Structures are given as structure tokens and as C-alpha cells.
């Protein structure tokens, strides 16, 4: 599989989890919220290793370094078991509702 296709699939999963998170917040369902952010972090914690298994020919090294950063941040969030940290993974500082997250921006570069 091409790296871009793999990352688009991962991004779709993360968008679905973000929607689940928003629904959980609206419904004041703490467990669904925790499940969604934990699953998001779990996906991101493995994204670098899984990306290296794809066809990365012609992919600039900066892309892989960025993916490694996403994985490392997610691993940290899981290690400290911080729902807030997990929730904020991929979210840029200047994020506005419906803006692309950092993974979406990375995919645009491919």
C-alpha cells in the first residue's frame, strides 16, 4: 500500500474517533470519551511503525520524522494516561473547529 493511502485510512479512523468524542461530550458519557481518546492515541502510537511497512519509496525523510513525532507523543500520552493529552494529539495550537489536524496537513504534503 502507498503511504498516502495508509495515512488517509488512519486519518479517517481518527476523524471517526473525534466525532465519537464530541458525541460523548455532548451526552456527558465519560467512558465513551475515554475510549475514543485512548483508541486515537493507540492508533497514533503505532502510526510510525505501521507507516514504515508501507511503500515509502520517494517519501521525503521529513514525513517519516513527523510520523515518528506523532507516535512518540501518543506513546507519552498513553504512558502518563492523560485523557487531555490524548485528546489534544494532532491538534495545532491555533486550531479552529473544522480545521485540518496535523495528520491531515501532512497528508496534503504527499
Amino acid at each position: 500500500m502507498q503511504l498516502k493511502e495508509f495515512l488517509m485510512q488512519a486519518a479517517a479512523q481518527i476523524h471517526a474517533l473525534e466525532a465519537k468524542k464530541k458525541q460523548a461530550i455532548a451526552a456527558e458519557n465519560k467512558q465513551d470519551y475515554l475510549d475514543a481518546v485512548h483508541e486515537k492515541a493507540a492508533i497514533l502510537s503505532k502510526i510510525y511503525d505501521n507507516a514504515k511497512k508501507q511503500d515509502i519509496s520517494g517519501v521525503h525523510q521529513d514525513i517519516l520524522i513527523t510520523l515518528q513525532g506523532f507516535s512518540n507523543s501518543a506513546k507519552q500520552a498513553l504512558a502518563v494516561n492523560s485523557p487531555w493529552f490524548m485528546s489534544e494529539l494532532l491538534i495545532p495550537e491555533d486550531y479552529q473547529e473544522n480545521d485540518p489536524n496535523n495528520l491531515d496537513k501532512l497528508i496534503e504534503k504527499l
Side-chain angles (χ1 to χ4, degrees), residues 11-25 33 36-37 39-41 44 85-91 95 97 101 104:
Q13 289 178 302
I14 289 168
H15 286 291
L17 290 166
E18 287 292 334
K20 180 180 176 182
K21 178 184 86 172
K22 285 180 186 178
Q23 290 173 343
I25 291 169
Y33 172 85
V37 298
E39 189 173 347
K40 174 185 174 182
L44 288 170
F85 191 8
M86 292 179 214
S87 177
E88 294 300 306
L89 293 169
L90 298 179
I91 306 300
Y95 181 79
E97 187 73 26
N101 64 35
D104 295 327

Side-chain angles (χ1 to χ4, degrees), residues 11-55:
Q13 289 178 302
I14 289 168
H15 286 291
L17 290 166
E18 287 292 334
K20 180 180 176 182
K21 178 184 86 172
K22 285 180 186 178
Q23 290 173 343
I25 291 169
E28 297 181 16
N29 185 327
K30 183 178 179 180
Q31 190 58 53
D32 282 355
Y33 172 85
L34 293 173
D35 291 347
V37 298
H38 191 273
E39 189 173 347
K40 174 185 174 182
I43 290 168
L44 288 170
S45 72
K46 299 173 193 153
I47 201 164
Y48 174 69
D49 289 334
N50 290 335
K52 290 191 309 181
K53 296 175 186 173
Q54 311 308 312
D55 179 3

Side-chain angles (χ1 to χ4, degrees), residues 44-82:
L44 288 170
S45 72
K46 299 173 193 153
I47 201 164
Y48 174 69
D49 289 334
N50 290 335
K52 290 191 309 181
K53 296 175 186 173
Q54 311 308 312
D55 179 3
I56 58 173
S57 58
V59 173
H60 197 274
Q61 190 65 23
D62 287 354
I63 300 292
L64 296 175
I65 290 169
T66 300
L67 290 172
Q68 188 174 32
F70 292 166
S71 286
N72 289 342
S73 292
K75 287 174 185 175
Q76 279 185 303
L78 290 166
V80 297
N81 197 26
S82 169

